[in-house]
């Protein structure tokens, strides 16, 4: 177990270093930070002094080292556009994004699991085929369009739900803001969460269905039937469990996807999250924000993937034995 | 003579395809008596496994039983609903599949798979079922069963896994076991052990076996009677001695000629010319006629009846006494 | 065996056309009305995009023909609509129907070009990784793994952002199509690479590859000739589904304001323009391009889905 986790941890660190490298190069070579900090009429000598002070004249490897050390301390400098610390900007907006993504994830998984299992088990029923075609539409209609349609229908035409913003938020101890505790906050999250979750919902449903079909063809399912086990035991005891093993592995990926796709949803619903900040930073080429977002988001992904790996390890006995076992 | 345990009458299995119906099993009849081992041999694609699947009621769609009857213990079972048939599977008819490596669910311990089967068919308590599971593992020759019962399939070797599969097939003492190529996926050295085990257990429990294989050697050693299948039809059914020693059907003769025998040095192994026709392309008359060295006019026109020759039933015109064949 | 085949079949060799018609793939195509419909829709949309210049009643890029007096007209069948503008006009007085045709041209162009780029990168990477193996393989597949753990939209946004850093604003706007193709193309190569690598690994140790080496042919040439036909099926499936995905990604980027500019709108840009007017009830500006986009992507997805199932022997 320990060896397995250590190996995964090492891989995660490599991923983070690669991401750090990308962020670092972006920061270092796209646009001169000095130009962003001083006026046009600043003399060359003063610029040079600033360069020296910022350590921009150091060898590359030292600068990268400094970058990594700073990044580990969540130190990414000032935003070109907002002229305030990038970390504060991001952390301020992080709860909004995380909350949105998590609510979407819950919606997506809660609906996708039964739908996927149903369409897998009864693949020839017309209801399954209808669900499958519907899910293909879900994949084909882009997130932003669904958002727009939702806004038009529920906010503009019916006037039931707000079309933008987060509603009233409550600040919890520790500085985390949440909209889930107020009526307006809850109302505000419905449309964005549905919009964001829909794509993932269809994706997971189709994945579970495909996996279920694959498992139902295996010999051990046939053998389970030949042993006279009840349909229920075969479908839910055997097939479902085996289906979920590979599904777990992509869960981390999908959760990461949700956080990334929040960029779009936040843009449509003017949700005050990290994604919208990142989008603005791309339009304005605000490099510190871009690289900080990249590093922080990657960190979230890596942690998610690590958790999923450990989960996978717990579920699949085949992995467990390999861990402590060549000397058997 | 007691009533047959299993009787298959004029079984016909069809697959609808885009080019029309494909008849995979055509007018197949045989029976198995209590405690008897019936070997079913033939080339791959002859329909052996399909027949087995039809008996346990697990034909894969779109294949379906299109005609004939399957009677188990005096009760017709080919037209039962899924739930009724499920109660027969495992309880009255056990099954063993080809590949032990893939027959067990990798996510559950061997013990859990045994106890769930036992508890499905009996009203044993979990504790009782577990004891029974350990007993069964002992019986199929798995060392340290108390420890092994809590292990996962991947912790067992191929041969050991097939022993577990046998234990699973026999765990509630079914009257018949359909064993579909139970040793093909195993090492040669282990094959004999597994066959011996199966034979011994079935004899001890009085279980009848339908042993599907393409290995004539296994049949000769194990079976009481043999059914030879060719292109979805029965070529010959009879006591194993007769079929092996004095094969009647030219196809069986050819099959026997292709087996090396100890003590028959110097003899050339024979080979049957050509290959089995595809199901889309079965010739009129006897299905074997293009490859048959003894085929004559009638074989190309009429499908042969089953003819009783010294206790062996043969589907071949050569044995039709009424015909003016010389 | 000739003697068992029926004489009728043996004597009359069917024509090539008949053999194509009778082929397994064609059969499953003919028997799936949804797929046929999807193919027809896709073809119609592609043709109307290619011939937009002939079909479109107005040229939305010809500033002289645009009259601000015509702006914000609803579709022709509504009360205030005019017959000249079938689907209404936008805030600048451009005919929605024509802008959709021209916009779709850009969406399809970017989509196809990105798929080609992804396929070229992915297939080459897969061939090299599979053939050379060892460290090269490990590095390529490691990069693929890392990239795969990041959502494509994020990578596309990032590449777009980097290009904005490298180019200044005018350069970026002038080069927007290549920039988009690059962003979307690079973010989608991994699947091709994985598939091709798998097949290459299988082929690498076959005898003809050894033989080729002995007669002095470069094995990689031989590999390309043998591996590519083997992976054509899966690659075609990935490419078809990839086309739908690329069109979606481009639309998303454009909608987010980092893709095609309003002066040269793609479907995504059109939806974005219309989004601002949705609250004033001008629904047609974004809904019609949105529907077109959805129908196009759905049709391509349906084709890809069918192709995947038809090429998968297990599902037959």
């Amino acid at each position: 177990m320990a060896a397995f986790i250590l190996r995964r941890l090492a891989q995660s660190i490599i991923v983070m270093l690669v991401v750090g490298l990308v962020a670092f190069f972006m920061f270092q070579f796209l646009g001169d930070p000095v130009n962003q900090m001083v006026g046009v009429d600043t003399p060359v000598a003063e610029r040079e002094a600033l360069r020296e002070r910022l350590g921009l004249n150091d060898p590359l490897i030292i600068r990268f080292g400094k970058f990594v050390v700073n990044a580990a301390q969540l130190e990414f400098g000032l935003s070109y556009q907002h002229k305030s610390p990038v970390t504060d900007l991001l952390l301020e907006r992080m709860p909004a994004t995380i909350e949105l993504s998590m609510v979407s994830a819950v919606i997506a998984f809660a609906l996708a699991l039964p739908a996927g299992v149903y369409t897998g088990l009864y693949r020839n029923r017309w209801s399954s085929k209808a669900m499958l075609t519907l899910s293909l539409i879900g994949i084909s209609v882009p997130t932003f369009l669904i958002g727009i349609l939702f806004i038009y229908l529920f906010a503009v035409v019916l006037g039931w739900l707000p079309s933008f913003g987060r509603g009233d938020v409550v600040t919890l101890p520790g500085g985390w803001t949440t909209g889930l505790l107020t009526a307006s906050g809850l109302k505000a999250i419905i449309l964005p969460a549905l919009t964001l979750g829909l794509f993932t919902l269809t994706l997971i449903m189709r994945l579970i269905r495909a996996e279920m079909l694959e498992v139902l063809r295996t010999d051990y399912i046939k053998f389970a039937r030949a042993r006279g086990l009840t349909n229920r035991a075969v479908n839910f005891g055997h097939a479902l469990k085996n289906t979920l093993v590979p599904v777990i592995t992509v869960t981390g990926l999908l959760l990461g996807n949700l956080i990334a796709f929040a960029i779009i949803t936040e843009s449509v619903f003017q949700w005050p999250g990290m994604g919208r900040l990142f989008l603005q930073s791309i339009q304005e080429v605000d490099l510190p924000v871009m690289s900080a977002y990249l590093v922080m988001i990657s960190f979230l992904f890596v942690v998610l993937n690590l958790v999923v790996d450990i989960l996978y390890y717990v579920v699949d006995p085949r992995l467990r034995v390999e861990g402590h076992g060549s000397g058997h | 003579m007691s009533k047959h345990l299993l009787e298959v009458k004029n079984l016909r299995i069809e697959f609808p395809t885009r080019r029309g119906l494909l008849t995979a099993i055509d007018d197949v009849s045989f029976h198995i008596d209590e405690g008897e081992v019936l070997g079913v041999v033939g080339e791959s694609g002859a329909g052996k496994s399909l027949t087995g699947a039809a008996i346990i009621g697990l034909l894969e769609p779109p294949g379906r039983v299109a005609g004939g009857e399957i009677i188990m213990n005096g009760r017709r079972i080919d037209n039962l609903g899924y739930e009724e048939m499920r109660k027969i599977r495992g309880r009255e008819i056990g099954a063993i599949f080809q590949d032990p490596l893939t027959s067990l669910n990798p996510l559950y311990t061997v013990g859990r798979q045994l106890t769930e089967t036992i508890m499905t068919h009996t009203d044993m308590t979990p504790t009782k079922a577990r004891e029974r599971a350990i007993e069964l593992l002992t019986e199929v020759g798995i060392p340290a069963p108390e420890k092994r019962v809590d292990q996962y399939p991947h912790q067992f070797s191929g041969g050991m896994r097939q022993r577990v599969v046998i234990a699973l097939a026999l765990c509630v003492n079914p009257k018949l076991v359909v064993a579909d190529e139970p040793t093909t996926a195993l090492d040669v050295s282990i094959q004999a052990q597994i066959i011996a085990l199966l034979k011994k257990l079935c004899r001890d429990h009085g279980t009848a076996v339908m042993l599907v294989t393409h290995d004539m050697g296994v049949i000769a050693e194990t079976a009481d009677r043999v059914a030879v299948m060719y292109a979805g039809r029965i070529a010959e059914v009879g006591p194993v001695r007769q079929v092996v020693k004095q094969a009647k059907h030219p196809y069986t003769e050819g099959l026997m000629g292709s087996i090396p025998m100890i003590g028959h040095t110097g003899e050339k192994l024979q080979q049957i010319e050509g290959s089995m026709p595809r199901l889309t392309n079965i010739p009129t008359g006897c299905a074997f006629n293009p490859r048959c060295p003894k085929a004559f006019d009638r074989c190309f026109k009429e499908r042969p009846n089953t003819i009783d020759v010294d206790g062996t039933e043969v589907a071949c015109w050569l044995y039709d006494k009424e015909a003016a064949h010389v | 065996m000739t003697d068992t085949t029926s004489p009728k079949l043996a004597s009359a060799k069917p024509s090539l056309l008949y053999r194509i018609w009778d082929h397994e793939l064609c059969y499953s195509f003919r028997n799936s009305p949804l797929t046929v419909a999807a193919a027809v829709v896709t073809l119609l949309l592609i043709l109307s995009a290619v011939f937009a210049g002939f079909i479109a009643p107005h040229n939305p890029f010809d500033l002289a023909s645009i009259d601000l007096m015509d702006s914000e007209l609803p579709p022709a069948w509504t009360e205030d609509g005019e017959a000249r503008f079938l689907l209404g006009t936008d805030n600048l007085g451009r005919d929605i129907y024509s802008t959709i045709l021209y916009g779709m041209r850009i969406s399809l162009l970017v989509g196809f070009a990105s798929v080609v780029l992804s396929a070229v990168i992915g297939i080459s990477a897969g061939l090299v990784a599979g053939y050379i193996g060892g460290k090269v393989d490990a590095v390529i597949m490691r990069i693929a793994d890392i990239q795969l753990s990041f959502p494509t939209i994020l990578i596309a946004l990032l590449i777009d952002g980097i290009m904005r850093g490298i180019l200044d604003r005018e350069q970026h706007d002038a080069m927007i199509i290549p920039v988009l193709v690059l962003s979307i193309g690079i973010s989608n190569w991994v699947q091709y690479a994985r598939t091709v690598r798998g097949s290459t690994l299988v082929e690498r140790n076959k005898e003809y590859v050894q033989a080729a080496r002995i007669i002095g042919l470069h094995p990689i040439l031989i590999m390309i000739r043998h591996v590519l036909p083997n992976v054509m099926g899966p690659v075609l499936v990935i490419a078809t589904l990839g086309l739908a995905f690329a069109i979606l990604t481009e639309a998303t980027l454009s909608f987010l304001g980092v893709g095609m500019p309003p002066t040269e709108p793609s479907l995504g840009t059109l939806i974005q323009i219309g989004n601002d007017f949705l609250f004033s009830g001008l629904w047609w500006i974004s809904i019609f391009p949105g529907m077109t986009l959805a129908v196009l992507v759905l049709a391509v997805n349906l084709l890809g889905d069918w192709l995947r199932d038809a090429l998968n022997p297990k599902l037959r």
Side-chain angles (χ1 to χ4, degrees), chain C residues 116-190:
Chain C
V116 170
L117 181 64
S118 308
V120 167
I121 299 175
I123 292 173
S124 330
L127 270 175
V128 169
Y131 182 69
I132 298 175
K135 282 215 176 78
V136 176
D137 182 31
V139 168
I140 291 179
M141 291 332 279
R142 199 75 224 144
I143 293 173
D145 279 349
I146 292 178
Q147 183 170 334
L148 208 61
S149 64
F150 287 87
T152 44
I153 186 81
L154 190 61
I155 293 166
L157 274 171
L158 209 64
I159 296 171
D160 188 75
I162 292 174
M163 293 310 287
R164 275 165 197 272
I166 295 172
L167 308 166
D168 60 41
R169 193 159 288 235
E170 282 99 73
Q171 278 176 320
H172 185 269
D173 280 354
M175 300 258 299
I176 184 68
I177 290 184
V179 167
L180 282 174
V181 169
L182 197 71
S183 314
I184 301 169
I186 291 181
S187 53
N188 284 306
W189 63 277
V190 175

Side-chain angles (χ1 to χ4, degrees), chain B residues 38-262:
Chain B
L38 175 78
V40 179
V41 281
E43 294 166 62
S44 35
K48 307 165 299 209
S49 300
L50 269 181
T51 311
I55 291 170
I56 56 172
L58 288 178
L59 266 183
E60 302 232 350
R64 59 192 170 86
V65 175
E69 291 177 4
I70 301 171
I71 297 159
M72 175 79 190
N73 248 347
R75 179 183 180 197
R76 191 165 164 193
I77 58 168
D78 59 283
N79 54 359
L80 292 182
Y82 184 89
E83 186 54 24
E84 284 170 287
M85 194 59 209
R86 176 190 75 71
K87 289 183 184 143
I88 291 175
R89 277 198 291 273
R91 171 80 269 206
E92 288 183 55
I93 309 178
I96 299 170
F97 288 159
Q98 199 170 46
D99 192 349
L101 298 180
T102 56
S103 288
L104 299 170
N105 190 332
L107 299 188
Y108 289 117
T109 60
V110 160
R112 148 98 213 238
Q113 300 189 46
L114 276 162
T115 49
E116 71 175 347
T117 317
I118 295 167
M119 285 160 66
T120 301
H121 296 292
T122 66
D123 41 20
M124 265 188 223
T125 60
T127 336
K128 273 290 229 194
R130 190 183 150 86
E131 280 168 27
R132 172 87 180 117
I134 294 173
E135 218 174 275
L136 278 160
L137 290 182
T138 319
E139 211 178 341
V140 294
I142 287 176
E146 293 87 359
K147 184 173 149 252
R148 298 293 253 173
V149 76
D150 291 321
Q151 289 187 344
Y152 290 92
H154 68 269
Q155 289 163 292
F156 288 74
S157 69
M160 284 294 159
R161 276 192 234 185
Q162 194 64 312
R163 285 171 192 262
V164 174
V165 169
I166 291 174
L168 276 164
L170 295 175
C171 65
V172 284
N173 284 321
K175 297 194 188 68
L176 171 72
V177 170
V178 176
D180 187 358
E181 310 255 6
T183 56
T184 316
L186 299 175
D187 273 5
V188 182
S189 55
I190 299 166
Q191 284 183 4
Q193 290 174 22
I194 294 293
I195 289 291
L197 174 74
L198 185 65
K199 197 174 162 183
K200 177 184 173 294
L201 285 175
C202 290
R203 192 179 297 140
D204 292 354
H205 294 260
T207 313
V209 183
M210 173 173 162
L211 181 62
V212 173
T213 176
H214 58 253
D215 187 340
M216 245 355 248
V218 168
I219 295 279
E221 258 173 61
T222 321
D224 300 312
R225 286 188 310 122
V226 193
V228 180
M229 288 189 73
Y230 184 80
R233 302 167 183 192
I234 296 266
E236 178 167 0
V237 193
V240 69
R241 248 165 216 294
Q242 280 198 33
V243 175
V244 173
K245 291 261 167 65
Q246 304 161 278
K248 306 276 185 311
H249 198 286
Y251 174 64
T252 321
E253 267 181 74
L255 215 54
M256 296 304 146
S258 62
I259 305 169
M261 300 255 185
I262 296 173

